[in-house]
Amino acid sequence: MNATVIAVALSLVSAVAYAAAAVAQARLATRTEPGAGLLSLLGRGAWWSAVGLNAGGALLHVAALGYGPLMLVQPLGALTLVAAVPLGARAAGRRVTGIEWRGTILTLLGLGALLMAAGGTVPHETLSLPEALAVGAGTMAVVAGLGRPGARPGLRHAAASGITSGVASALTQTLTVSVTDRTGPLFSWRLVVVAVLVSAFALGGLLLAQTAYRGGLGAPLAVVTLANPVAATVIGLVLLGENLRGGTISLLPALLGAVAAVRGVVLLCRAQAAVPVAAERPAPGSHPRIGDGAARVPTDRSARRTEGEREAVPVGG
């Protein structure tokens, strides 16, 4: 079987696993207090389910990197958002809206154009120890900048999550190629440092995403989906020696595909961001639940008792 086909298939299954994990994290975030830390999540089964799905998606992603270049595998991560649409709708007990379908189609078309341009050979270049340390330091500086106080912290946390996850994927490429290369030493300080950075950024991306999903699934997941491949692709182009198939000729369809994919992600972002608002509104004829912040609807008995109390109170009393 063609190596590119295997890489695409593994990436698709990985995207589904990541999508299921995102839906589980978003549902957990809505049930968690804003000030709750990591220790409060460790005792919840939903958290460990999300961790397991993320771990499965990461392993499949690593396997895909063994068959395809970073610029081929990483854009397929955008399918996480596409898979999250029906999964999130099913979990919420609703149907997928028309704008969500349009966003899905545009995203798929854009990804198809990107795949035609990015499907090259598997690179054998890896990051050196100074390059890996520079990438790690630069990533931590960017994440610290995104964590500064300000408005829309959810989207900033989502951008930081996407960047850290994309950098972890790029570092994983170095780790995978180095381990499978029989000509080099199996153990070296470079591999140890890269492995530590991969673990730290993968965990950091998971926790940042958990924080970002407190504002809902749609917009944060869209930002994560966009930031992840951008960070990995920049490292692949600048440091790993990757390039577009066909050179500059394929740049135009790649740009058109990127525009279509971004437009599709924006539509999905708008549609999913509007879902929680609509879900919070009670259906016509239904009564608000106690504890939802809405006023209680008095029963007939309490209403009669209130009327009797009003009659017993003198005028002006």
Side-chain angles (χ1 to χ4, degrees):
M1 185 181 294
N2 190 290
T4 301
V5 175
I6 297 177
V8 172
L10 291 172
S11 299
L12 292 177
V13 181
S14 174
V16 173
Y18 278 131
V23 173
Q25 283 186 268
R27 291 174 63 85
L28 178 61
T30 58
R31 304 171 184 173
T32 305
E33 295 295 332
L38 178 61
L39 293 178
S40 65
L41 299 174
L42 297 180
R44 302 194 178 189
W47 164 254
W48 289 110
S49 298
V51 170
L53 288 169
N54 275 299
L59 291 176
L60 291 168
H61 182 78
V62 171
L65 288 173
Y67 290 95
L70 188 64
M71 288 183 62
L72 169 67
V73 174
Q74 204 65 26
L76 288 171
L79 291 175
T80 298
L81 183 60
V82 177
V85 171
L87 290 177
R90 182 178 179 83
R94 62 176 182 84
R95 294 182 179 180
V96 181
T97 62
I99 189 173
E100 288 175 321
W101 283 124
R102 290 194 298 272
T104 300
I105 293 172
L106 277 175
T107 305
L108 290 175
L109 291 176
L111 283 173
L114 287 173
L115 287 176
M116 293 177 60
T121 57
V122 180
H124 295 283
E125 294 189 21
T126 59
L127 296 176
S128 63
L129 180 58
E131 289 174 336
L133 291 175
V135 168
T139 303
M140 287 185 285
V142 171
V143 171
L146 291 172
R148 67 185 187 281
R152 308 298 294 273
L155 295 183
R156 289 190 286 105
H157 280 86
S161 173
I163 291 172
T164 54
S165 300
V167 171
S169 297
L171 294 173
T172 301
Q173 176 87 344
T174 291
L175 194 63
T176 303
V177 174
S178 299
V179 170
T180 56
D181 186 8
R182 300 178 183 273
T183 60
L186 185 60
F187 175 84
S188 66
W189 283 112
R190 180 178 68 116
L191 294 183
V192 172
V193 170
V194 171
V196 170
L197 289 175
V198 168
S199 302
F201 287 142
L203 179 59
L206 181 65
L207 295 177
L208 287 167
Q210 182 67 42
T211 302
Y213 292 151
R214 289 174 181 171
L217 178 63
L221 183 56
V223 174
V224 171
T225 304
L226 285 174
N228 189 313
V230 168
T233 301
V234 169
I235 295 176
L237 285 173
V238 176
L239 298 177
L240 294 179
E242 297 185 359
N243 48 47
L244 297 175
R245 175 187 289 178
T248 56
I249 299 177
S250 61
L251 188 59
L252 180 58
L255 291 176
L256 293 176
V259 171
V262 169
R263 176 59 179 169
V265 169
V266 169
L267 289 176
L268 290 171
C269 172
R270 291 176 179 175
Q272 293 187 18
V275 168
V277 177
E280 291 176 357
R281 299 173 181 172
S286 62
H287 297 291
R289 293 178 299 176
I290 297 175
D292 288 344
R296 297 187 183 183
V297 178
T299 59
D300 293 339
R301 180 179 301 176
S302 61
R304 288 195 300 267
R305 183 171 59 250
T306 304
E307 293 176 357
E309 291 172 355
R310 285 199 300 266
E311 291 176 356
V313 177
V315 178

